[in-house]
Amino acid sequence: MIQEIKIPRILISGTGSGTGKTTLTIALTKSLQAKGLKVSVFKCGPDYLDPGYHSFVTGKTCQNLDGWLMGKESVLSSFVSASQGSDIAIIEGLFDGHSPNSEAGSTAEIAKWLEAPTLILIDASGMAATFSAIASGIKNYDLQVPIQGFIANFIGSKNHLSIIEAASIPLTILGGFPKSNDYSFPERHLGLRTAGPDILTEEKLSYWRNLSEEWLDLNKILKIANSAPPLLVEKPIEAQAKQKDCKIGVAYDEAFHFYYEENFKKLKEEGAELVFFSPLKDTKLPEVDGLYFGGGYPELFADPLSKNKYLIQEIRNFANSERPIYAECGGLMYLSSEIQTVEEKNFPMVGLIPGKAVMGPKLKSLGYVEVHTEKRTILGEAGIRFRGHQFRYSDLIIENEDESLFSYHIRKRKSEQTIREGYTVSNVLASYVHAHWASNPEIPKNFIASCRRFKV
């Protein structure tokens, strides 16, 4: 049965990385909250860092929306579900996708699927009429993308903004922001540093809220958001609540916090209770039937992680009981024999996966991947396929590779070449892939089944 869902929404995109999309989204969120509105924020693409900023500011988990990883049905379902109870939804993402010849996985694709009025942020430093030329080109490039206005970033003054507005007729200019180095958010690797009160200070958040109230036409932006048409979506079938007969321990702290919220949602829908613990601070594991280690920055906390000998022994004992352990990227590094930092300092780790995780100064892998399992694992039988994303600065160095260690073949989206991955030792499965389980809903079912099978 099809139903109409009315969700005021706006999509903020940019012409490239570094245009200030995240800052604008945070500023707009704070100013709308000051008006008494409840705001939900979404991030287009597989990014793990920006959602942390949006979650911190809204107090509500920011969901990823990714066409290639999730497909249209899951994108619509996640958006509608996570928008419930909010007065407005803000979606942020880079206009480009991962291919110059396809919109698959792009923010433009999400804008079409969600029929979301779109605002384009342009770096306007040193521009006048050129701003109009760029904006006109974007607006006319794909007329199916519902572009409703533009915002000028890094402008020199109010007079500069007036010049851009005069040069951009008949385009809708909704304001702009001056460059502000003192209040910008620091970056790490390819994106922002992990969100926290030390970065998202009250002083900075107040500054950006006040700036948006002074420099943006908020009333017009709200009017545009409210003009979004109702979404036509399939009414979900009321699923019978499943008995919570499985507990999964989830590593979650400053070292491990890169997770797709959709994965948590699917685990809970299938009857799992999630129990969070900290590899940094806890000395005992919770009473659970399986463990899930996500990504993060274990290399930044290698010393305290290594010194937490009590928890390391707990994890080893858990593995010896043959209960399932699943780990991704940072989790793989933690389960390896040791981590070698960029400074070439070595720190012993859990040692369930043979090999040393060696950090490097340059990016080792970035992009979408598709996984094909070659043998049975705790995620199911051989032959299962699912999609994910890699973003890493380390390699796992294994001195004596044993063929039995590998359970995946991984193919990068832009290549036909496959590599071996999916490190498996007994009921431990670890990989550099951040898997998105919307690409194959059987994965969380199978993981929970493995946890139930080996309950102690």
Side-chain angles (χ1 to χ4, degrees):
M1 178 179 176
I2 301 297
Q3 61 179 342
E4 288 189 353
I5 303 290
K6 177 66 175 176
I7 303 172
R9 55 196 181 276
I10 203 148
L11 189 148
I12 294 172
S13 190
T15 53
S17 297
T19 52
K21 303 182 303 300
T22 301
T23 300
L24 173 61
T25 301
I26 290 171
L28 187 57
T29 298
K30 294 301 294 182
S31 60
L32 294 177
Q33 287 174 331
K35 288 179 175 288
L37 300 178
K38 295 178 181 177
V39 185
S40 290
V41 181
F42 299 82
K43 175 68 180 182
C44 295
D47 179 55
Y48 330 107
L49 287 168
D50 289 0
Y53 279 65
H54 301 323
S55 297
F56 184 93
V57 172
T58 62
K60 184 178 180 180
T61 302
C62 172
Q63 301 268 17
N64 290 79
L65 302 175
D66 189 295
W68 192 79
L69 288 178
M70 302 171 67
K72 184 176 181 178
E73 185 178 334
S74 288
V75 165
L76 286 169
S77 174
S78 292
F79 177 75
V80 169
S81 174
S83 297
Q84 296 304 305
S86 297
D87 300 306
I88 185 171
I90 302 176
I91 308 139
E92 182 228 319
L94 184 64
F95 194 80
D96 276 340
H98 44 72
S99 169
N101 303 312
S102 170
E103 68 177 14
S106 70
T107 297
E109 180 180 59
I110 300 295
K112 293 178 184 179
W113 288 355
L114 297 180
E115 298 181 75
T118 300
L119 307 183
I120 303 294
L121 184 64
I122 297 175
D123 181 347
S125 52
M127 288 185 187
T130 305
F131 183 96
S132 181
I134 293 172
S136 297
I138 293 172
K139 186 171 179 61
N140 294 316
Y141 179 73
D142 185 346
L143 297 178
Q144 292 184 328
V145 179
I147 296 173
Q148 299 294 313
F150 297 87
I151 295 174
N153 205 10
F154 308 134
I155 54 179
S157 64
K158 284 283 182 72
N159 184 55
H160 183 194
L161 180 58
S162 298
I163 292 171
I164 287 173
E165 290 172 335
S168 298
I169 296 171
L171 298 169
T172 302
I173 308 299
L174 297 162
F177 278 163
K179 194 171 184 65
S180 182
N181 292 327
D182 292 340
Y183 291 91
S184 62
F185 301 120
E187 295 190 352
R188 168 179 162 74
H189 290 338
L190 289 183
L192 300 167
R193 281 174 48 193
T194 304
D198 57 327
I199 294 174
L200 291 164
T201 64
E202 280 300 318
E203 181 185 10
K204 284 187 177 182
L205 294 177
S206 295
Y207 171 84
W208 288 109
R209 184 197 71 213
N210 293 334
L211 204 68
S212 65
E213 292 171 354
E214 178 186 354
W215 289 73
L216 300 180
D217 191 336
L218 294 175
N219 289 332
K220 189 173 286 186
I221 290 173
L222 274 172
K223 185 177 180 180
I224 291 172
N226 280 291
S227 73
L231 286 172
L232 301 177
V233 296
E234 189 76 31
K235 187 174 182 178
I237 299 172
E238 289 290 335
Q240 186 175 357
K242 297 191 178 182
Q243 183 181 355
K244 301 291 184 184
D245 61 349
C246 174
K247 292 184 179 182
I248 296 177
V250 180
Y252 204 101
D253 57 19
E254 297 92 332
F256 304 97
H257 49 270
F258 292 169
Y259 295 91
Y260 291 125
E261 185 64 23
E262 188 76 10
N263 290 8
F264 287 164
K265 178 183 175 184
K266 291 190 178 302
L267 286 172
K268 288 185 280 190
E269 287 175 349
E270 292 301 325
E273 177 185 343
L274 304 186
V275 183
F276 296 90
F277 69 96
S278 169
L280 282 170
K281 301 169 186 174
D282 293 333
T283 56
K284 289 185 66 66
L285 283 174
E287 292 294 326
V288 292
D289 308 304
L291 294 176
Y292 182 2
F293 292 89
Y297 293 136
E299 73 275 12
L300 298 183
F301 302 92
D303 187 32
L305 285 172
S306 182
K307 286 178 178 176
N308 193 351
K309 304 292 187 185
Y310 291 106
L311 191 74
I312 285 177
Q313 190 56 51
E314 286 263 306
I315 296 169
R316 289 170 179 165
N317 293 342
F318 191 95
N320 289 336
S321 73
E322 295 193 345
R323 284 173 287 178
I325 300 178
Y326 174 69
E328 297 180 335
C329 202
L332 162 64
M333 296 170 67
Y334 180 56
L335 296 187
S336 72
S337 300
E338 60 182 319
I339 291 177
Q340 180 177 297
T341 65
V342 176
E343 298 79 18
E344 297 188 359
K345 293 181 179 179
N346 294 290
F347 297 91
M349 291 293 148
V350 181
L352 296 180
I353 301 296
K356 177 196 293 189
V358 179
M359 291 294 299
K362 295 182 180 180
L363 190 65
K364 301 292 186 179
S365 183
L366 173 67
Y368 292 110
V369 295
E370 189 161 26
V371 175
H372 181 207
T373 64
E374 297 295 320
K375 64 181 183 182
R376 193 185 188 289
T377 70
I378 55 175
L379 300 185
E381 299 295 336
I384 288 176
R385 294 182 183 272
F386 58 89
R387 290 178 171 183
H389 186 263
Q390 285 195 348
F391 170 48
R392 60 183 172 89
Y393 279 73
S394 72
D395 280 322
L396 188 68
I397 308 301
I398 304 172
E399 289 187 4
N400 299 307
E401 288 190 356
D402 185 338
E403 194 67 33
S404 66
L405 182 63
F406 302 97
S407 58
Y408 292 174
H409 272 153
I410 294 177
R411 181 181 65 83
K412 292 185 177 181
R413 188 182 181 278
K414 297 180 181 180
S415 170
E416 292 302 317
Q417 182 180 0
T418 62
I419 59 172
R420 295 180 306 169
E421 235 257 30
Y423 306 99
T424 307
V425 177
S426 185
N427 271 350
V428 179
L429 173 61
S431 170
Y432 271 118
V433 178
H434 294 266
H436 200 301
W437 292 342
S439 64
N440 187 340
E442 294 301 310
I443 298 295
K445 293 180 184 179
N446 294 339
F447 181 45
I448 290 173
S450 294
C451 294
R452 288 174 176 145
R453 189 180 303 120
F454 293 96
K455 284 171 71 81
V456 295

